[in-house]
Amino acid sequence: VGRSGEQDTLQASIDFQSDKTATLRIVEQYKASRLQLNNFMGGYQDTVYSVTSHFPSIYYDSTKLNEHTVIQSNIDLQAIKAGIISADAALEQVKARSYPRLSLNTAYSYNQSNNDGSFVISNQTKGASFNITAQYDVLDGFLFSQKKEIASLQLENVGIQYKELEQLLLTSFRIAKGSFDTYTAIEKLEENNVLIAKKNSEIALEKLKQGTMSSFDFRVTQQSIYEAQFRSIQAKYERMLSLSELMKITSNFNSLLEKRTP
C-alpha cells in the first residue's frame, strides 16, 4: 500500500536470518540426537529414520490407579514381602527348639513257641505297647538365645526395608500422578492457545496487508504461535515422562489402561 520503508525491509531481513539460524541449530541438534540414539541401540550410525510428530493417546482408569494398586502390584515390594514371610518362618523355627519335644512310639508284638517234650506244649504271647518320651534342652551353651536374636534382627531388618520402599514408592507415585494430571491439563490449555494464536495471526496478517499493523507487531503474533506450540509439545513430553514413571512404579500398568476406540 506504499507505507513500508527500507527500515522495515531491513528488520524483516534480520528476523529472517535469525529464524534461519535457529532452524539450522535445531536441525543439527536433531542429527546429533539421532546419532546418539543409534549408538545406544547398537552402533548403527548410518540408520536414518523419521519421527512422528504425534504423541500416542494413552488413557488410564483412575479408579484402579491408586496407592493400594501400587503396593499390591510392585514387584520389588512383593519380593521384600516374601522375604518377611521367610524371615518370620525362620524365627518361628528357632523358637520351636525351646519347646518340649514329645515323641510317641508304638509297637505290637506276637510270639508263639511249641515244645512237645515239656509240660507246656504251646506258648503264645501278643499285645501292643506305647511309649511317650518328653525331651527338653536345659542348657545349650546359649546358642538358642543367639540364634533367636539373629532371626529376630533379620525379621526386623526386612520389615524396615519394606517400610522404606513402601514409603518411597508412595511418594514417587504421588509425584508422578500429580505431574501426569498437571501436564495433561496444561497440554489441553496450550492446544487451545495454539488455535487462538493462529486465529490471531490471520487477523494480524490482514491488518499488515492494510497497513494498520507494523511488521514488529506482526512478528510478535507469529512468534506467539510457535511459543504456544512449543509449550504444548513440552507438556506432552512431560506427560509421557510421568506416565513412564507410573508404569515403572506399578510394574503392571497395562491392566490399568482404558480400552478406547479411535
Side-chain angles (χ1 to χ4, degrees), residues 193-209 213 217-226:
N193 284 338
V194 171
L195 298 177
I196 296 175
K198 288 182 178 180
K199 183 65 176 178
N200 186 40
S201 176
E202 294 175 0
I203 297 175
L205 180 60
E206 294 299 325
K207 288 185 177 181
L208 181 67
K209 292 178 179 180
M213 174 176 283
D217 293 335
F218 177 73
R219 177 172 172 79
V220 171
T221 59
Q222 293 293 310
Q223 288 180 334
S224 64
I225 299 177
Y226 304 124

Side-chain angles (χ1 to χ4, degrees), residues 2 16 40-41 48 59 120 129 144 148 156 211 213:
F16 174 75
F40 292 150
M41 293 190 302
V48 180
Y59 307 92
V120 180
S129 62
F144 169 74
K148 181 180 178 181
E156 183 179 357
M213 174 176 283

Side-chain angles (χ1 to χ4, degrees), residues 6-76:
E6 184 178 4
Q7 183 180 7
D8 292 337
T9 303
L10 294 176
Q11 184 62 45
S13 299
I14 294 173
D15 294 338
F16 174 75
Q17 296 299 331
S18 298
D19 292 342
K20 188 174 182 179
T21 301
T23 302
L24 292 175
R25 292 179 184 272
I26 294 176
V27 171
E28 182 60 29
Q29 183 180 1
Y30 170 78
K31 292 179 180 179
S33 300
R34 177 180 60 81
L35 292 174
Q36 291 175 355
L37 180 60
N38 286 340
N39 183 55
F40 292 150
M41 293 190 302
Y44 300 98
Q45 299 294 336
D46 298 330
T47 302
V48 180
Y49 51 83
S50 60
V51 180
T52 178
S53 59
H54 301 286
F55 284 80
S57 298
I58 300 178
Y59 307 92
Y60 68 92
D61 189 350
S62 58
T63 60
K64 296 181 181 179
L65 186 58
N66 49 47
E67 296 180 357
H68 177 73
T69 303
V70 173
I71 295 175
Q72 293 296 323
S73 61
N74 185 266
I75 297 177
D76 296 332

Side-chain angles (χ1 to χ4, degrees), residues 179-190:
S179 298
F180 181 81
D181 295 337
T182 299
Y183 285 112
T184 300
I186 293 176
E187 178 187 351
K188 294 179 180 179
L189 291 175
E190 295 301 338

